[in-house]
Structure formats: C-alpha cells, structure tokens
Amino acid sequence: MNTRAVRAVARKDLRIALRNKGVVLPIIIVPLIMMILMPALMIFLPIYLEPMETGEELRREMGAFFANMPAELYNLFAGLNDQQTWVVVASMFMFAPFFLIIPVMVSSVIGADSFAGEKERKTLEALLYTPITSAELFIGKVLAAFLPAMVVSWACFVLYTVVVNAAGLMVLGRMFFPNLAWIVLILWVVPAAAALGIGVIVLVSAKAKSFQDAYQMSGLVVIPIILLLFGQMGGILYFSTPTVALIGLAIWAVDAALLTLAVRTFGRGEIIARL
Amino acid sequence: MPEWVIETHNLTRHFGALVAVHGLNLQIARGEVFGFLGPNGAGKTTTVRLLNGVLNPTAGEIRVLGMDPIAQGPAVRRRTGVLTESPALYEPLSARENLLIFGELYDVPPDVLRRRVDELLEMFELTARADDKVAGYSKGMKQRLALARALIHAPDILFLDEPTAGLDPEAARQVTELIEHLSQEEGRTIFLCTHNLVEAERLCDRVGVIHRGELIAVGTPEELARRIWHGHGIVVRLGRPLPAEALASLKRLEGVAQVEVENSDLHILLDQEHRTPAVVRALVEAGAEIYAVRPREHSLEDIYFQLQANARGGSA
Ligand SMILES: Nc1ncnc2c1ncn2[C@@H]1O[C@H](COP(=O)(O)OP(=O)(O)OP(=O)(O)O)[C@@H](O)[C@H]1O
Ligand SMILES: [Mg+2]
C-alpha cells in the first residue's frame, strides 16, 4: 500500500470538495440547525413557556413514549418535575437519531463530489493512468469523505454537550450529559453511519451522471433514520445502551455488504467502461 | 536491431459485439516518435488504454518496456506518461497543485518533485499563472499543463492522445513545438494519436494507420505517401462549367491521368507536379473562367480509401 498516494488522493478530493459551495453549505448549515439551533430552542423554550408541574403531567401526555420504557431509562426521570423531564427527554432521546443524520450527510455530500463529481468532471481517466492501484484510489476517496464526517460529527457532539449541560445546570442543577448510550452512539454508531453514507454514495455514483444526481439519490439514507426517531417516540425502540450498540452493529453489517459491492464497481476496467 | 519499447502481438479488444482493436501488431523503438493515425472511433484511445494496462485485452500479447501491462500495470505506468484526450485537470485547483498531486501519485521524491514542478511550469510558460485556478486558463494553457502533468515523473514513453485537437492554430503550434522539443532535445519515445496529417508528417518518424481497429499501413510518412499517391492532384475552381469538348481535350493532355467534375470544380490527377502550368494554359485557351487553382489536400479519409482500394487491388 502506497500511503503517500492514498493521502494525495484524499487530500485533493477534500480540497476540491471544499471549494464547491454545494458541498460546503450543507456541511455548515445542517449541523448548525440540527444540532445547535434546534436543540437550543427545543430544550430552552419550554422552560420559559410552560408552568412547572409535576413530571407526571408530561409523562401522561407522552404516554406511548413512557409506557414501554425499560426500567434502566425510566429511573432517569424519578422525582423530576415537568421542565426537568422535558430537558432530559429532549436532550437524551429526541436528538439521538438526528445525530446520525450528520455523519451520513457529511460523508455522502463529500463522497458525491469525490466519486460522482470526479466522474462528471471527467478527471478520473488521468488518475487511472498513474501507478496507483484501484484499492489505493478507493481508500483515498473513502477517507476524504469519512474523516471530515467524523470531525464534523464530533465537533457537533462537543457543542451539543455544552448546550445540553447548560440547560441541565439551569433546570436540574447538575450536568447529566452524556450517558453511556450516547458515548456508544458517538464512538460506535457515528462511524458506522459515516461509512453508510459512503457505501451508498459509491454505489449510486456508479450510475449517477453528476454530483447533484448522486447526492439526491443518497438522500434516501435519511429515511431509516427518521424511522428510528418515530420508533422511539411511539415507544417501539429506545436509545438505551444495548439498543444503541445493536443499531451500530446492524449499520456496520450493512456497511460491510455495501462496501464489498462498492469495491467491485471500482476496478480500472469497470471505471473505464463507465467513463 | 533496435530496442523495442512497445511490442504487441495480435492485440485485440472487443466491447460486446464491437471489435474496437483487431489483431494489432506494433513494434516501436526507443526514442522514436510514432504517429498513430485514425478517424474517430478507429481504436486509438482503446489502444493507449490497453498499452497502459488500464483496459485488459480480449486476446493478444503486449510488452511495454519489457513488461506485461496486465500483470504489471503499476510498474508500467510508473514509466509511461499519458496526455488524455480531454485534459482532465482539476479545475478548482491551481497548476502547481495539479502537478504536485500527480507527482505524489507517481511517487516522485518530495525534493525532486518541487524542483521538477518549477522546471515544468517554466518550460511550459505557466509560471506567471502557476497559482491561479485552472478553471480560468485558456484551452491552450490547459493543454500545456496537461502535457506538463504527463511529464512530471520523467516517463520513458509519452502517449499523446490528440494533443492539438480543439486548439486554435497558435496554441496548436505551441504544443507541436513542445512535442518537437521533447523528442529532439530529450529523446523521449512518443506515441502520438492524431487525425491531423500535417501534424503527423511534421513530428513523426513513422506512422501507423488504424481503421476500424485494424492497422492498415505502417511506415515513414514518405513511404506511405509514395505507396498511396501515384501522382499529383490539383483542384481548379471554375466560374461556370467547362463545355464537354473542352473537358474531353483536357483528358487527352499529356500527363493528365484522371479528371473528375465536382460541381464547378475540376479534380485533376497529374503524373507530376510540373504539368500544372501546361494544364492551366490549356484550360485558359479553351475559354475556362478560372477562379483558383490549388494542390489537392488529402484528408485522412482519402488515405484510408486509397489504402483500402490499393489493398483490394493488390490482393485481386
Ligand atoms: N468502454 C467502452 N464500451 C463500449 N465501447 C467502447 C468503449 N470504449 C470504446 N468503445 C468503442 O470502441 C471503438 C474505438 O474507440 P476509441 O475511443 O478507441 O476510438 P478513437 O480512435 O480514440 O476515436 P476518437 O478519434 O473519436 O477519439 C469505438 O467504436 C467506441 O465506441
Ligand atoms: Mg480517442
């Protein structure tokens, strides 16, 4: 493995992607809205709007969510009033599925530029004439999308932790975030989600004609994540530590399958045939 | 016996039912400029891909620098440079960035690479714009940069796929001069795909003509010309058609091998160029209104036509 060539590919793909507004804008705006602005509003606003009642009130209103909740999680809410309950529900549960959108979005938008975009701009052929192997080329391109997805996701997590704990300090008098489930989410599921975005985009890029096409097709990945969100609110599935670990495992399994298929679309002969 | 740096034996590539390259036998010597002439779809680009191990052949054998591009693709590509049909540059990046990236892909040592990039920028007259985005370059500049990129690792063999296609005459001349320099001063082996006859004649030691995937002739440009054209063609533009009896007496003139009428043009084949004044004089005396007389330029298509006609005639 020629790591210098791999790094050269990763660096140039990232540099080119970051000079494309269609890539940079979503990478900045989506995390800002989804992981900073929305959480800040959802967590803080009710604190000022709702009169304080016992937590029982809110628990009745969100019946389905609390009805099937495992004891491990239910204990989190013992003795909390409405505001406190809301802060914990919103910060611990509501945003966890959203958090998976970030790595998928970042990796697929950069991946779309590096795989479909490179094809659209017809610059792949010159690369194929260099000594780089298809595997090195593939790994370089995957890293160009994967590493920034991790950086952005983890940066979001740090900011999110600050927002949530600020609310925790105000309302509960203590910092309560993150719990173990979140740590598993960040270290185990987020990388899997980043890889998922790439796997899908590589397969889609083999067919797509342009960066836009590929990026739009890959948007479908967000659907299962939204299902997770509703599943949780409907009391079907909770972001407890074991569940999060299992979700991670499931995504990694899908990743393995997708990347195996993706590598097969990425031999020199296959690429040339699509140029 | 020269050292062959490229040898193919019966090289063949199919795409489904289409035969893009058929039974190609090539031998190219070190230091030679070999012109690969063919019209669109003849199989030129496919051959370059095969020779560089980017595409696998359906049948046949290839040796490039003594290696097999199928089994030793990276090793072959380390010593060949390719100017692709479209420049395939990274437009959001600068010329310098483009060259540095490819230098890393070819694993040129970092200190050598920096020097090499400066040298190439200088040689290709890009130094002043070296740090501007390629997107703003003219077509000629892009082509020069693509050529510089193909040379970043000082390859033994340079493949040029239609290097002057789509350039204006001035930019084309610049590129042609650079290619001349690479061959004459640096002694590189050059495999030049083109459908431009003038370019091939000026640059190439030998040319091979490929048509529908088959090599139909190989030789020096002079050899080919001798084999193909038995005589000298001229075109006479007339203001109005020539009367039939004048046409008949023209055909009887000494040295006139053939006369064809195309609209108001006469295509006349002479056995030798110096017959031209006599023919023109005869036409004037016959009352022809001559607007222009020019030597007939042969398009590549004419050459194939002629080559094929000759081949048919030879085998009959
Ligand atoms: N990947 C491919 N799949 C199917 N057919 C192909 C492929 N690549 C080339 N061909 C076909 O093979 C034939 C030779 O193509 P090639 O590109 O080698 O021609 P060329 O001589 O380079 O022509 P041009 O002057 O247009 O560049 C053409 O008919 C082309 O359509
Ligand atoms: Mg071609």
Side-chain angles (χ1 to χ4, degrees):
Chain A
M1 177 76 48
N2 177 355
T3 55
R4 187 162 173 236
V6 172
R7 273 179 289 141
V9 169
R11 204 164 348 105
K12 71 108 180 128
D13 272 352
L14 188 55
R15 207 182 292 169
I16 291 168
L18 293 183
R19 289 183 192 177
N20 180 348
K21 276 203 201 82
V23 171
V24 176
L25 289 181
I27 290 184
I28 294 176
I29 290 172
V30 174
L32 219 56
I33 292 178
M34 216 177 255
M35 292 328 297
I36 315 292
L37 210 64
M38 257 169 53
L41 286 176
M42 296 278 286
I43 295 170
F44 280 101
L45 266 190
I47 299 178
Y48 298 107
L49 296 182
E50 296 278 314
M52 187 165 68
E53 309 205 16
T54 60
E56 290 303 325
E57 191 83 7
L58 190 61
R59 262 166 265 181
R60 253 198 316 284
E61 280 170 26
M62 300 184 65
F65 176 62
F66 284 104
N68 304 324
M69 188 176 270
E72 173 211 341
L73 296 178
Y74 201 77
N75 291 340
L76 281 174
F77 298 95
L80 299 189
N81 65 24
D82 254 14
Q83 286 180 352
Q84 295 166 330
T85 304
W86 172 251
V87 167
V88 174
V89 168
S91 58
M92 288 279 200
F93 298 98
M94 252 171 56
F95 284 100
F98 279 127
F99 222 107
L100 297 181
I101 293 179
I102 304 293
V104 170
M105 187 276 299
V106 175
S107 72
S108 58
V109 69
I110 296 180
D113 192 76
S114 121
F115 284 93
E118 174 131 45
K119 179 166 137 189
E120 181 184 3
R121 296 184 289 262
K122 305 199 183 313
T123 49
L124 256 178
E125 183 159 15
L127 278 185
L128 299 182
Y129 281 115
T130 71
I132 193 169
T133 64
S134 308
E136 288 161 353
L137 183 58
F138 186 74
I139 292 170
K141 284 181 164 291
V142 166
L143 288 179
F146 183 78
L147 296 178
M150 297 308 296
V151 168
V152 173
S153 304
W154 285 349
C156 280
F157 176 67
V158 170
L159 292 174
Y160 184 70
T161 304
V162 171
V163 172
V164 169
N165 281 327
L169 279 176
M170 281 174 59
V171 177
L172 289 111
R174 63 189 160 90
M175 297 197 280
F176 64 95
F177 191 86
N179 62 1
L180 184 60
W182 268 85
I183 290 172
V184 173
L185 184 78
I186 291 307
L187 296 182
W188 170 243
V189 190
V190 162
L196 181 69
I198 298 167
V200 169
I201 213 73
V202 179
L203 289 176
V204 163
S205 296
K207 295 266 183 299
K209 288 198 181 55
S210 68
F211 163 73
Q212 284 297 341
D213 279 3
Y215 185 48
Q216 276 157 15
M217 283 191 241
S218 75
L220 298 177
V221 183
V222 174
I223 291 173
I225 295 175
I226 308 252
L227 289 180
L228 284 179
L229 177 74
F230 286 119
Q232 180 167 248
M233 286 301 133
I236 296 164
L237 164 150
Y238 294 89
F239 273 57
S240 64
T241 311
T243 312
V244 172
L246 276 179
I247 291 175
L249 193 66
I251 301 180
W252 277 120
V254 174
D255 288 347
L258 287 182
L259 288 174
T260 310
L261 285 177
V263 166
R264 264 186 230 157
T265 69
F266 217 72
R268 266 190 170 64
E270 285 75 17
I271 299 175
I272 277 285
R274 292 192 303 262
L275 281 183
Chain B
M1 165 135 177
E3 178 197 355
W4 302 126
V5 288
I6 298 176
E7 271 185 286
T8 70
H9 183 66
N10 250 331
L11 181 59
T12 300
R13 169 71 204 208
H14 298 184
F15 291 107
L18 181 101
V19 184
V21 173
H22 183 75
L24 205 61
N25 293 305
L26 282 178
Q27 285 181 318
I28 294 164
R30 180 175 294 282
E32 177 171 42
V33 180
F34 184 81
F36 204 43
L37 270 94
N40 292 335
K44 302 182 295 292
T45 302
T46 303
T47 304
V48 172
R49 288 174 174 169
L50 291 166
L51 294 176
N52 283 279
V54 167
L55 197 66
N56 286 345
T58 309
E61 279 130 56
I62 315 172
R63 291 271 139 198
V64 174
L65 296 160
M67 295 177 282
D68 175 7
I70 304 164
Q72 300 161 279
V76 168
R77 290 191 291 271
R78 219 174 289 286
R79 295 176 56 193
T80 61
V82 181
L83 173 69
T84 48
E85 220 164 338
S86 67
L89 298 161
Y90 294 114
E91 304 232 338
L93 304 181
S94 69
R96 192 184 301 280
E97 287 173 312
N98 269 281
L99 293 177
L100 285 171
I101 287 164
F102 276 81
E104 289 177 349
L105 293 175
Y106 281 104
D107 210 11
V108 180
D111 47 328
V112 178
L113 178 56
R114 218 155 306 128
R115 210 168 349 104
R116 183 92 184 135
V117 167
D118 286 335
E119 271 169 27
L120 286 170
L121 288 170
E122 196 58 46
M123 173 175 164
F124 288 80
E125 294 172 34
L126 293 165
T127 307
R129 300 280 305 275
D131 296 303
D132 297 350
K133 283 187 186 177
V134 171
Y137 287 14
S138 72
K139 240 183 182 166
M141 289 171 73
K142 286 181 188 171
Q143 195 68 350
R144 295 205 304 274
L145 177 55
L147 192 51
R149 183 187 59 190
L151 289 164
I152 191 75
H153 54 304
D156 292 317
I157 307 176
L158 188 58
F159 291 88
L160 305 173
D161 200 346
E162 302 186 18
T164 57
L167 299 184
D168 68 37
E170 168 64 15
R173 191 182 52 80
Q174 251 182 335
V175 168
T176 310
E177 279 170 6
L178 283 167
I179 296 170
E180 235 164 14
H181 171 85
L182 292 171
S183 135
Q184 287 165 9
E185 316 288 316
E186 303 191 0
R188 292 189 198 284
T189 309
I190 297 178
F191 187 97
L192 173 74
C193 299
T194 180
H195 40 225
N196 182 335
L197 267 182
V198 180
E199 184 176 292
E201 272 187 61
R202 168 159 177 195
L203 293 171
C204 301
D205 302 316
R206 281 194 311 145
V207 294
V209 180
I210 183 174
H211 189 46
R212 305 209 175 139
E214 287 189 68
L215 197 61
I216 54 178
V218 190
T220 65
E222 298 75 37
E223 277 169 8
L224 282 190
R226 260 203 311 279
R227 264 171 62 190
I228 297 167
W229 314 116
H230 317 280
H232 178 78
I234 59 172
V235 179
V236 181
R237 265 194 69 199
L238 299 176
R240 57 185 154 77
L242 208 60
E245 64 271 26
L247 198 61
S249 61
L250 176 64
K251 285 181 181 166
R252 284 192 302 271
L253 272 181
E254 196 187 350
V256 174
Q258 197 186 343
V259 179
E260 283 168 23
V261 183
E262 241 185 69
N263 305 324
S264 55
D265 286 357
L266 293 176
H267 290 233
I268 306 173
L269 185 65
L270 306 172
D271 60 352
Q272 276 165 340
E273 189 177 5
H274 73 251
R275 305 278 189 199
T276 313
V279 169
V280 173
R281 203 175 312 120
L283 280 169
V284 171
E285 282 163 7
E289 266 181 37
I290 299 181
Y291 284 8
V293 179
R294 57 184 164 82
R296 180 165 177 186
E297 278 165 16
H298 301 290
S299 71
L300 209 45
E301 282 297 342
D302 294 340
I303 292 195
Y304 307 124
F305 195 73
Q306 200 63 42
L307 275 170
Q308 282 181 326
N310 291 358
R312 267 198 305 276
S315 65

